[in-house]
Amino acid sequence: MPAIPRDDSFDSTLALLSDGYTFISKRCARFQSDIFETRLMLRRAVCTMGEDAARMFFHPGRFTRRGAIPPTTLMLLQDLGSVQTLDGAAHQRRKQMFMPLLESPAVDGLAQAMIRHWRAQLAKWERQPQVVLHSEVEEILCRAVCEWAGIPLADPEARQRAEEFSAMIDGSGAIGPRNWKGQALRMRTEQWARGLITTARSSRHAIPEGSMAHAIALHGDTDGKLLDARTAAVELINVLRPTVAVARFITFAALALHAYPDCRARLAAGEDGYAECFVQEVRRFYPFFPLIAGHVLVPFEWRAHRFSEGDWVFLDMYGTNHDARIWDEPETFRPERFRHWDQSPFNFIPQGGGDYLQGHRCPGERITIALTREAVRMLVSEMRYDVPQQDLQIDLSRMPAIPASRFVISNVRRIEPVARPAA
Ligand code: HEM
C-alpha cells in the first residue's frame, strides 16, 4: 500500500498553533494530497481535507470523538459525559434530546426571543457613544436563550453569565491564560446549571414544563435513569453556550455588511432568498471551527490508506469550506453562490456534516442560521449606525478567530422596520 505524504518535522504542534486555520490546507497544497501524516502533541496524526474526506469522516459509526480533542478544549466545549463523547445506541438516545432544536418551534421561539432582547438593548445603545457589538450580542443571546429554555435570569446576572460563556468559547482553542480564564469561569457556570437541574427536578413550576431546561432535567438515558446532575448540567450548558457563540457569526455578518456595501443594499431591498444566501456565505467564508478530530473505531480504507483502530484523524472544516474544487474563487465573499449549492452534507461543513441523528452533526445549525439571519435583518432594517476607525483584522492563527476590535459601532439610531408585502 503506498505511504501517504508525511510532514518531516518531529512534531507539528507549534506549527498548528501558528498556522491556525490554514495548517492542514497549506500542507495538503504542498503535498498535492488530501491526506498526510504528522505528529501533534507527540502523537501520530492523520490530517485530511475536502468533500471526499468529509464523506469518509462523517460515515456513521466510523469514528469516536472520545479522547480526540485535547482535554483543555473539551472541558470548555462539550465536556466529559456529554452527547459528543458517546457512540452508537447511547449517542442516539441522548441525541434525541437535542433533535427538537432542529424544528420550527425551537428555531422560531429562540429567534423571537433574540429580537425582543435586541430591541430592548437598542434603546440603551442609542444613549451610548459607542458599543462593542460582539459582547453586546453575546449578552442579548444569553438573555434570549435562558428565557427560551425556561431559565430565570435576574437582570444583573445576564452580563455575568454571558461573560462566562464568552470566556469558555474564547478560551477553547487556546493554551495558557485565555484557556485558564475559561476553565475558572466555567466552574461557576456548572455550579449554577447544577442548581437549575435540581430545581427543575424538585420544585414544580420553577422551571416550566416543556422547556428545554425541563426536558434535559427529566431526560432518561438508555438505562431509563435520569442523567446524574453533573451530566445534565453539562448538557444544559451545551445548549446555552453555543447559542451565545452564534454572536461570532453575527459579528462576522456585521463585518461583511460593512465590507460589502452592495450586499447590504441587496438585503435592504429585500431581494428574494438573498438573506439566506448571505448567512450561508458568512458561515462558509469566515473562520469559526477550524477542524474536527476523531479516533477510528472500525478499520477501513480510504484513498489506498489503511486506517487502523485507534488512529487519530483530523478533518479540516475551514479548509473544506475554502476548497477551490468545491467553491469557485473561495476567497471571494459571494452570497449568490448559495443559489446553486447542491445541499450536500459533505461539502459545506461549518458545523459538521453527515446525518444529524446518526452522527455528531451540530443540532443547533438551524438555530444558528435563523439567529444570524434575524440579526442581519435588525442591523439592516431596524437600526442605523456608524463604523468608526478600528482594527477589523482577523488573525487566522487565533482560534477561535474574531475581528481584533470585536466590531465597534457608534451613533446608533433606531428606525422603524419597513413593512414588505408578502412574497
Ligand atoms: C455558534 C455556531 C456553532 C458552531 C460553529 C457549532 C459547531 C459544532 C460542531 C463543529 C460540532 C461537532 C460536530 C461533530 O463532532 O461532528 C457541534 C456539535 C454540537 N453542537 Fe454545535 N455549533 C454551533 C451552534 C450550536 C447551537 C446554537 C447549539 C444548540 C442550541 C449547538 C449544540 C451542539 C451539540 C449539542 C453538539 C453535539 C452533537 C453530537 O455530539 O451529536 N451548537 N457543533
Side-chain angles (χ1 to χ4, degrees), residues 83-298:
V83 61
Q84 219 201 4
T85 63
L86 302 177
D87 299 303
H91 171 261
Q92 285 209 18
R93 172 76 196 142
R94 183 82 64 82
K95 189 72 176 267
Q96 293 284 6
M97 182 171 86
F98 294 96
M99 293 305 278
L101 294 175
L102 287 159
E103 288 160 19
S104 303
V107 175
D108 300 344
L110 201 38
Q112 288 309 317
M114 183 195 73
I115 293 169
R116 273 196 305 279
H117 287 283
W118 191 299
R119 286 181 179 149
Q121 288 302 102
L122 194 43
K124 296 182 189 159
W125 297 346
E126 280 187 312
R127 298 192 296 272
Q128 292 170 347
Q130 56 178 43
V131 293
V132 178
L133 189 71
H134 183 251
S135 43
E136 293 291 321
V137 174
E138 284 182 323
E139 188 178 327
I140 289 173
L141 290 170
C142 180
R143 287 175 189 272
V145 70
C146 287
E147 180 188 297
W148 167 83
I151 298 171
L153 198 61
D155 199 49
E157 200 188 349
R159 183 70 242 148
Q160 179 199 335
R161 296 292 161 220
E163 271 167 19
E164 290 167 9
F165 292 127
S166 178
M168 287 179 220
I169 300 153
D170 209 46
S172 61
I175 42 176
R178 189 150 52 93
N179 185 274
W180 303 333
K181 182 181 172 196
Q183 305 277 1
L185 294 191
R186 177 165 181 131
M187 287 197 277
R188 282 211 312 239
T189 325
E190 284 206 14
Q191 211 176 8
W192 168 72
R194 264 200 297 271
L196 292 170
I197 295 296
T198 314
T199 308
R201 286 175 179 171
S202 57
S203 61
R204 294 184 125 243
H205 312 304
I207 306 278
E209 273 184 41
S211 66
M212 193 68 203
H214 195 262
I216 292 174
L218 297 191
H219 173 81
D221 252 351
T222 31
D223 56 7
K225 290 192 189 139
L226 294 182
L227 302 177
D228 62 81
R230 187 204 156 266
T231 306
V234 160
E235 297 295 34
L236 180 58
I237 293 172
N238 281 337
V239 171
L240 307 180
R241 185 207 57 254
T243 303
V244 173
V246 177
R248 271 191 148 68
F249 279 138
I250 294 175
T251 302
F252 287 134
L255 176 61
L257 290 174
H258 175 62
Y260 309 105
D262 53 321
C263 294
R264 176 185 270 276
R266 290 171 76 168
L267 287 160
E271 189 180 312
D272 194 29
Y274 191 74
E276 191 83 12
C277 295
F278 180 83
V279 170
Q280 296 293 55
E281 183 68 342
V282 165
R283 295 198 310 135
R284 183 197 73 80
F285 184 78
Y286 289 103
F288 196 162
F289 252 74
L291 39 82
I292 198 155
H295 282 300
V296 174
L297 282 174
V298 185

Side-chain angles (χ1 to χ4, degrees), residues 5 18 52 60 77 164 190 259 272 372 397:
S18 66
D52 207 25
L77 296 183
E164 290 167 9
E190 284 206 14
D272 194 29
T372 312
S397 70

Side-chain angles (χ1 to χ4, degrees), residues 320-360:
T320 303
N321 289 342
H322 286 252
D323 186 338
R325 293 167 299 180
I326 307 168
W327 309 103
D328 182 36
E329 297 183 20
E331 302 312 323
T332 304
F333 186 86
R334 192 193 298 147
E336 51 279 21
R337 68 172 83 240
F338 278 95
R339 291 210 186 271
H340 314 289
W341 174 50
D342 65 3
Q343 305 278 338
S344 159
F346 302 110
N347 60 20
F348 175 48
I349 51 171
Q351 293 176 233
D355 185 69
Y356 288 105
L357 186 57
Q358 291 196 52
H360 291 279

